């Protein structure tokens, strides 16, 4: 009941948010939060560290952008095609990598994702280093214009809520319990008759598809897709979001995504404000030092919050409830 009330309050705040904050920034937050939740489904509940998720985010964005801008397809079809492309790439990548474990699995996913990065760099429809520009938002169901930021925000919010509900359902389903069993003790799960490779492959494909949904939505929101989303550094960024928020928790990745994206977008404004108040010119350089600040936050979380922000809170709340 407490979780239901919490989710209800969070939904009400999300509905009210675009009337007080910049809707495009909020939509970007939702896209990255979904990306982090999708990644957490793989690493937090299956125990697989992938460094190739940027390929799903960027690849889906390119496919959606090309389908909508060059083929003139509606926004629903474009997002579905982008998500399906990410799922297909995830299936192929998973078949090659899923039989390996630990660092070998991570390196295979990184290598395959970088191969796709160079394909996107050279492919004519992606625009190369200039990116895919001018992606239209189109009309939802043929008559609801998404050029309006508020209408677009509620469309993105609906997608996020549906995807988040699916992730929660997966986690608490019998399949989710099998995922946890494979993560905790794979040999024992195999001895009980579970095909661990098939279980992990399905988790990989689901994570890839949801990451693709985030990438497709992000491309429509911003109106462009660039190589930044397909670069390996984006895979590192989603790892950071998940670890800072709380690995293996439901809302931890959302908290981590909000923290990291807000820092990236608002750190420069904060530095300018501090510089004007204190008259210290060094604060003006904060906007160019995002990676240093996020790295510092990561170090603090590793040293002081080993379970992440949400993980540490839950670790303190649960014993109190038990008492």
């Amino acid at each position: 009941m407490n979780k239901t009330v919490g989710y209800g309050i969070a939904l009400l705040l999300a509905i009210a948010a675009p009337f007080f904050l910049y809707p495009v920034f909020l939509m970007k937050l939702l896209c990255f939060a979904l990306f982090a939740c999708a990644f957490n489904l793989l690493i937090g509940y299956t125990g697989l560290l992938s460094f190739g998720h940027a390929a799903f985010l960027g690849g889906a964005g390119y496919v959606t952008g090309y389908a909508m801008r060059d083929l003139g397809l509606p926004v629903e079809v474009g997002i579905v095609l982008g998500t399906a492309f990410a799922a297909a790439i995830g299936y192929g990548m998973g078949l090659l990598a899923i039989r390996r474990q630990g660092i070998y699995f991570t390196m295979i996913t990184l290598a395959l994702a970088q191969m796709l990065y160079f394909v996107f760099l050279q492919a004519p429809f992606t625009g190369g280093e200039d990116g895919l520009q001018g992606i239209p938002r189109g009309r939802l169901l043929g008559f609801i214009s998404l050029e309006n930021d508020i209408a677009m925000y509620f469309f993105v919010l609906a997608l996020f809520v549906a995807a988040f509900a699916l992730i929660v359902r997966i986690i608490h389903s019998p399949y989710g319990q099998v995922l946890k069993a494979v993560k905790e003790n794979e040999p024992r799960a195999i001895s009980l008759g579970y095909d661990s490779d098939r279980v992990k492959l399905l988790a990989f494909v689901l994570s890839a598809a949801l990451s693709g949904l985030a990438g497709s939505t992000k491309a429509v929101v911003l109106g462009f897709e660039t190589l930044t989303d397909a670069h390996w550094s984006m895979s590192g960024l989603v790892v950071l979001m998940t670890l800072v928020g709380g690995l293996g928790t439901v809302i931890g990745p959302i908290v981590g995504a909000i923290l990291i994206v807000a820092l990236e977008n608002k750190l420069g404004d904060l530095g300018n404000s501090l510089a004007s108040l204190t008259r210290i010119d060094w604060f003006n350089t904060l906007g160019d030092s995002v990676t240093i600040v996020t790295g510092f936050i990561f170090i603090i979380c590793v040293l002081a919050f080993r379970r992440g922000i949400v993980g540490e809170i839950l670790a303190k709340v649960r014993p109190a409830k038990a008492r």
Side-chain angles (χ1 to χ4, degrees):
M1 177 64 74
N2 291 335
K3 287 184 179 180
T4 304
V5 172
Y7 290 150
I9 294 173
L11 181 59
L12 290 176
L13 291 174
I15 292 172
F19 300 104
F20 301 96
L21 299 173
Y22 185 40
V24 175
F25 172 69
L26 293 174
M27 286 186 277
K28 187 177 178 181
L29 279 180
L30 289 174
C31 292
F32 275 107
L34 176 56
F35 185 34
C37 288
F39 181 76
N40 184 53
L41 178 63
L42 186 67
I43 187 174
Y45 295 94
T46 315
L48 297 175
L49 174 58
S50 167
F51 250 93
H53 267 54
F56 312 136
L57 184 79
Y62 277 122
V63 170
T64 298
Y66 177 76
M68 294 182 63
R69 190 194 69 174
D70 296 347
L71 301 182
L73 297 176
V75 61
E76 306 96 321
V77 178
I79 290 177
V80 168
L81 287 177
T83 305
F85 174 80
I89 293 298
Y91 181 74
M93 189 181 293
L95 285 177
L96 294 174
I98 211 72
R99 296 181 185 277
R100 300 293 179 264
Q101 295 181 351
I103 191 66
Y104 303 104
F105 173 85
T106 303
M107 289 297 101
I108 290 173
T109 57
L110 174 61
L112 294 173
Q114 283 302 101
M115 289 174 59
L116 283 172
Y117 170 82
F118 286 110
V119 170
F120 297 143
L121 177 62
Q122 300 293 332
F125 76 94
T126 63
E129 294 183 353
D130 295 329
L132 189 65
Q133 308 289 334
I135 301 174
R137 288 187 178 180
R139 291 179 173 272
L140 180 63
L141 303 176
F143 65 92
I144 302 175
S145 176
L146 296 179
E147 295 299 329
N148 181 281
D149 286 341
I150 299 296
M152 185 71 207
Y153 172 81
F154 284 112
F155 174 57
V156 175
L157 180 61
L159 290 178
F160 174 81
V161 170
F164 181 74
L166 175 63
I167 292 172
V168 172
R169 181 69 187 93
I170 291 171
I171 291 170
H172 294 98
S173 68
Y175 170 71
Q177 301 306 311
V178 175
L179 280 181
K180 295 175 185 177
V182 170
K183 176 188 175 184
E184 297 296 331
N185 195 330
E186 185 173 351
R188 186 174 181 181
I190 294 173
S191 69
L192 292 174
Y194 295 108
D195 187 342
S196 64
D197 288 341
R198 183 176 295 180
V199 169
K200 291 189 288 187
L201 179 60
L202 178 56
F204 195 88
V205 173
L206 287 170
S207 181
L210 291 168
S211 299
L213 177 61
S216 298
T217 308
K218 178 175 174 290
V220 175
V221 168
L222 300 180
F224 61 85
E225 182 61 46
T226 64
L227 290 170
T228 303
D229 287 347
H231 194 256
W232 68 268
S233 59
M234 182 60 69
S235 297
L237 188 65
V238 75
V239 173
L240 179 63
M241 292 175 184
T242 308
L243 292 179
V244 168
L247 189 68
T249 61
V250 177
I251 64 171
I254 300 175
V255 174
I258 291 173
L259 179 62
I260 299 302
V261 175
L263 273 176
E264 286 189 340
N265 285 268
K266 301 301 181 183
L267 194 59
D269 297 338
L270 176 61
N272 294 333
S273 300
L274 290 175
S276 63
L277 289 174
T278 62
R279 306 196 176 206
I280 299 175
D281 293 336
W282 178 82
F283 284 116
N284 288 319
T285 64
L286 274 179
D288 301 323
S289 308
V290 174
T291 53
I292 297 175
V293 176
T294 53
F296 182 67
I297 291 173
F298 179 65
I299 292 172
I300 292 175
C301 286
V302 169
L303 294 177
F305 304 98
R306 302 294 292 273
R307 302 180 185 90
I309 296 172
V310 176
E312 289 292 337
I313 293 173
L314 292 176
K316 287 178 172 56
V317 169
R318 284 169 180 166
K321 282 186 176 180
R323 288 196 296 270

